[in-house]
Amino acid sequence: DVVMTQSPLSLPVTLGQPASISCRSSQSLVHSDGNTYLNWFQQRPGQSPRRLIYQVSNRDSGVPDRFSGSGSGTDFTLRFSKVEAEDVGVYYCLQGTQWPWTFGQGTKVEIK
Amino acid sequence: EAQLLESGGGLVQPGGSLRLSCAASGFTFSSSAMSWVRQAPGKGLEWVSVIYRGGSSPLYADSVKGRFIMSTDSSKNTLYLQMNSLRGEDTAIYYCVKGKTAWGQGTLVTVSS
């Protein structure tokens, strides 16, 4: 199975400041079709997960542009340009290139 | 807008069985990939199973393979998860997911004596 490793696991942030989360995979996430199926999800307290980013850098509909994704191969990053209070929650990367699809451990974002 | 409503969770003894249902609306159920994802209390996410449309067989995580069976009824727009030989480590909130974008609110399964 592809192992997804996130860092940090806890991210205290200051409102209005930038922040980032790293996600590394144990093998390349480039699919045989040429696409890279790396997703980012947000789970706010008490809510179901919500996808923010698909195929490394594409924002889902309705996702604020302060969220951005980047990376390639085995190394990926989710960036917040300016953290807002509603961004508190746990963020997960998910690889959908190879079954079984696997999540990272999650990064808990909290306000300092 | 896609809506997913899970039901069927509850308390079951180890070794027992339970069937979860997911009622879908707001999209073409018969042509959508559907999944079950679970989350143990206070823990991370695990993608349990997925079914692509067009007659393909479901895929299962190794942790549930041979014990869980995923199925669909397109006449009822409903997704099912038959869970057999349940273990304590199956205790989790089970989410029904359309593609990767639409998630239900989840149903809690507790396996305990």
Side-chain angles (χ1 to χ4, degrees), chain A:
Chain A
D1 297 2
V2 178
V3 177
M4 304 298 288
T5 303
Q6 289 182 228
S7 63
L9 299 185
S10 177
L11 183 58
V13 297
T14 300
L15 289 175
Q17 292 301 303
S20 65
I21 300 170
S22 171
C23 176
R24 290 183 173 170
S25 56
S26 60
Q27 54 190 271
S28 174
L29 298 186
V30 180
H31 193 273
S32 56
D33 64 9
N35 293 314
T36 300
Y37 295 102
L38 187 283
N39 306 265
W40 288 97
F41 288 82
Q42 173 196 61
Q43 187 174 30
R44 290 172 171 153
Q47 295 188 12
S48 302
R50 163 201 184 195
R51 194 176 70 178
L52 302 175
I53 302 284
Y54 64 96
Q55 290 185 36
V56 181
S57 60
N58 298 283
R59 272 189 304 275
D60 276 281
S61 176
V63 174
D65 61 8
R66 65 178 180 275
F67 293 98
S68 64
S70 64
S72 63
T74 62
D75 205 345
F76 306 93
T77 302
L78 175 68
R79 289 187 172 84
F80 307 68
S81 60
K82 293 181 182 179
V83 175
E84 296 192 5
E86 65 179 16
D87 298 339
V88 166
V90 181
Y91 291 78
Y92 298 91
C93 58
L94 167 76
Q95 70 81 18
T97 294
Q98 175 181 313
W99 183 260
W101 301 340
T102 45
F103 289 95
Q105 317 97 300
T107 295
K108 186 172 184 178
V109 172
E110 55 190 8
I111 305 301
K112 283 182 184 176

Side-chain angles (χ1 to χ4, degrees), chain B residues 5-111:
Chain B
L5 183 62
E6 304 93 337
S7 60
L11 175 63
V12 61
Q13 292 189 338
S17 296
L18 210 56
R19 189 177 82 157
L20 306 183
S21 299
C22 170
S25 60
F27 63 98
T28 306
F29 179 76
S30 59
S31 61
S32 299
M34 299 295 298
S35 296
W36 290 98
V37 176
R38 69 183 180 182
Q39 186 170 36
K43 302 296 184 182
L45 299 163
E46 180 185 14
W47 211 287
V48 172
S49 61
V50 62
I51 186 166
Y52 295 99
R53 314 323 289 269
S56 60
S57 298
L59 300 175
Y60 300 97
D62 285 348
S63 57
V64 306
K65 197 178 297 181
R67 300 187 298 123
F68 289 12
I69 301 171
M70 183 182 190
S71 62
T72 61
D73 184 338
S74 292
S75 68
K76 297 182 179 179
N77 283 0
T78 301
L79 177 72
Y80 301 102
L81 186 67
Q82 177 67 42
M83 304 186 295
N84 302 319
S85 303
L86 283 162
R87 306 166 180 167
E89 54 264 36
D90 296 318
T91 295
I93 296 172
Y94 285 74
Y95 295 101
C96 170
V97 185
K98 167 191 173 290
K100 293 183 179 69
T101 55
W103 294 60
Q105 287 304 300
T107 186
L108 177 62
V109 172
T110 303
V111 183

